[in-house]
């Protein structure tokens, strides 16, 4: 009897020490991305953004480079940007700072840039989680020159590369500016203003307008554009950048290979649906061509009178 009682007591103690069932608390750590195989000087320009609006998922370790196309209106930047966006790994989000509220002050500019470079800016140019280069088009007169010191510091701190795109022939640019201004008011394409067109017929209609150039202001205006271009290059000289002329890109498509190399993306044959509006000699596109010739002859701008490229 004593033995039986002893055995029962031992069994009850064993049953009493069995712990209740529970969950194992496992802490999951995010795996760091492997170090990219790049030169040390290139490290500041390689980023791994974490969007707030979606997850990059399997592309979270795909490095992204930040860029900005710095240009002036009617300098071929729209056409150039469509070429970049034709690349499967590049997203250039357009002329974002054409909206004044976004460039109201340095804070709003930085907030907008942060959203773009964090891949949270959604536009028709947005690609997918595996974008390798993201940027925007920024005109010099859209807060860029006014706040250049702060923006240069932002570019250097955040590792943003600048792509300068300007027009060599400033007279052609002036004609394009005047024609675009007329189209904005007259809207000859079925009551719609179009800065860029995608059919030869639309281009032919827009090219019918021939602006009358104010020759008394012609040289001062050309000088002003030249000075602004020179200042922009001086201001952003300390950033990582590449400089392009629109005419060179038109004549030599290997320039696009240089841009793709600059952005460190695979080289592809880039195409655009945009159609050029003004073809041929400038004499066909100006009302007072003889007066323009007389004004520029013998000046540093005389070479603008010549046809400097074909497309």
């Amino acid at each position: 009897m004593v033995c039986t009682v002893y055995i029962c007591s031992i069994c009850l103690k064993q049953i009493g020490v069995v712990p209740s069932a529970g969950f194992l608390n496992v802490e999951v750590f995010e795996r760091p991305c492997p170090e990219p195989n790049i030169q040390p000087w290139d490290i500041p320009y390689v980023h791994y953004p974490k969007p707030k609006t979606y997850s990059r998922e399997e592309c979270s370790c795909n490095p992204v480079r930040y860029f900005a196309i710095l240009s002036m209106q009617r300098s071929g930047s729209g056409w150039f940007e469509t070429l970049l966006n034709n690349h499967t790994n590049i997203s250039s989000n357009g002329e974002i700072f054409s909206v004044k509220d976004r460039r109201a002050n340095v804070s709003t500019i930085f907030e907008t840039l942060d959203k773009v470079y964090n891949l949270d800016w959604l536009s028709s140019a947005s690609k997918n989680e595996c974008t390798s280069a993201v940027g925007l088009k920024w005109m010099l007169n859209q807060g860029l020159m006014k706040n250049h010191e702060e923006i240069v510091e932002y570019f250097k701190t955040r590792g943003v590369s600048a792509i300068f795109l300007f027009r060599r022939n400033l007279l052609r640019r002036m004609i394009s500016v005047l024609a675009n201004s007329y189209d904005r008011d007259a809207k000859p394409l079925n009551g719609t203003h179009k800065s860029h067109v995608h059919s030869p017929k639309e281009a032919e209609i827009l090219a019918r307008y021939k602006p009358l150039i104010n020759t008394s202001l012609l040289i001062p205006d050309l000088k002003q554009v030249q000075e602004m271009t020179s200042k922009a290059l001086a201001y952003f000289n300390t950033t990582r950048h590449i400089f392009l002329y629109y005419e060179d890109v038109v004549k030599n498509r290997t320039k696009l290979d240089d841009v793709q190399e600059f952005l460190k993306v695979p080289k592809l044959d880039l195409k655009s649906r945009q159609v050029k509006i003004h073809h041929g000699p400038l004499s066909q596109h100006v009302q007072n061509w003889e007066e323009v010739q007389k004004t520029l002859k013998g000046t540093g701008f005389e070479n603008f009178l010549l046809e400097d490229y074909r497309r």
Side-chain angles (χ1 to χ4, degrees):
M1 185 182 293
V2 173
C3 290
T4 303
V5 172
Y6 176 76
I7 293 172
C8 288
S9 66
I10 295 299
C11 291
L12 288 172
K13 286 181 180 179
Q14 289 179 341
I15 294 172
V17 297
V18 176
S20 58
F23 294 99
L24 185 63
N25 184 20
V26 179
E27 188 173 356
V28 179
F29 292 93
E30 197 172 301
R31 187 182 65 180
C33 294
E35 288 293 327
N37 185 23
I38 59 176
Q39 297 296 324
W41 64 264
D42 207 21
I43 292 176
Y45 304 100
V46 175
H47 312 279
Y48 299 93
K50 296 181 179 180
K52 297 178 181 178
T53 51
Y54 64 93
S55 171
R56 294 190 74 202
E57 298 175 344
E58 69 273 11
C59 300
S60 59
C61 284
N62 280 30
V64 179
R65 293 178 183 260
Y66 303 158
F67 70 88
I69 304 168
L70 309 185
S71 188
M72 303 180 76
Q73 286 85 352
R74 314 310 298 175
S75 296
S77 60
W79 169 72
F80 179 76
E81 189 176 46
T82 61
L83 289 168
L84 293 190
N85 280 325
N86 186 237
H87 197 292
T88 54
N89 301 117
I90 301 177
S91 291
S92 188
N93 291 280
E95 206 170 314
I96 291 174
F97 289 109
S98 61
V99 178
K100 292 183 179 180
D101 290 344
R102 296 171 187 160
R103 63 175 196 262
N105 51 59
V106 172
S107 296
T108 57
I109 289 174
F110 287 176
E111 287 173 9
T112 303
L113 291 175
D114 286 346
K115 196 171 182 180
V116 171
Y117 295 132
N118 202 48
L119 301 183
D120 280 318
W121 191 274
L122 301 180
S123 71
S124 59
S126 301
K127 293 293 195 304
N128 52 43
E129 296 81 1
C130 293
T131 294
S132 298
V134 63
L136 69 153
K137 186 172 65 165
W138 202 344
M139 302 295 103
L140 300 188
N141 62 353
Q142 294 174 350
L144 189 68
M145 301 293 281
K146 181 181 178 182
N147 303 286
H148 67 89
E149 291 182 356
E150 294 86 349
I151 295 169
V152 165
E153 188 60 30
Y154 180 96
F155 277 20
K156 292 166 73 173
T157 303
R158 294 296 307 274
V160 179
S161 300
I163 301 174
F164 287 103
L165 179 70
F166 294 118
R167 202 155 186 168
R168 181 181 281 111
N169 192 324
L170 301 182
L171 181 59
R172 281 188 176 273
R173 176 186 175 272
M174 178 181 288
I175 293 169
S176 183
V177 168
L178 293 172
N180 187 62
S181 178
Y182 168 80
D183 177 71
R184 188 180 292 109
D185 296 328
K187 298 179 177 65
L189 294 176
N190 299 319
T192 303
H193 168 58
K194 288 189 176 182
S195 297
H196 308 98
V197 296
H198 298 94
S199 75
K201 182 60 178 177
E202 290 178 325
E204 188 271 327
I205 293 173
L206 294 185
R208 292 173 187 171
Y209 172 71
K210 296 183 179 182
L212 182 70
I213 294 178
N214 185 340
T215 52
S216 63
L217 296 176
L218 178 55
I219 291 180
D221 286 347
L222 293 175
K223 285 183 177 179
Q224 184 181 28
V225 174
Q226 269 191 343
E227 289 172 2
M228 183 177 288
T229 302
S230 298
K231 283 183 178 179
L233 291 172
Y235 289 159
F236 288 83
N237 187 48
T238 57
T239 65
R240 180 176 182 264
H241 64 273
I242 185 173
F243 181 88
L244 301 167
Y245 276 121
Y246 164 75
E247 290 88 347
D248 293 341
V249 180
V250 170
K251 290 190 296 184
N252 183 4
R253 289 302 183 90
T254 61
K255 292 293 182 181
L256 293 175
D257 291 342
D258 296 340
V259 175
Q260 293 176 83
E261 172 61 29
F262 180 71
L263 295 176
K264 305 300 181 185
V265 295
K267 292 182 182 179
L268 301 179
D269 183 20
L270 304 179
K271 301 181 183 300
S272 172
R273 292 178 52 244
Q274 281 193 15
V275 177
K276 185 172 175 58
I277 296 173
H278 296 101
H279 294 270
L282 287 176
S283 57
Q284 299 177 0
H285 304 294
V286 181
Q287 283 189 44
N288 55 333
W289 178 245
E290 290 185 3
E291 191 179 351
V292 170
Q293 278 187 309
K294 184 179 178 180
T295 302
L296 296 184
K297 284 277 188 177
T299 72
F301 303 110
E302 183 176 0
N303 60 316
F304 292 165
L305 299 170
L306 306 175
E307 183 182 3
D308 50 0
Y309 70 97
R310 293 179 181 274
R311 178 174 170 238

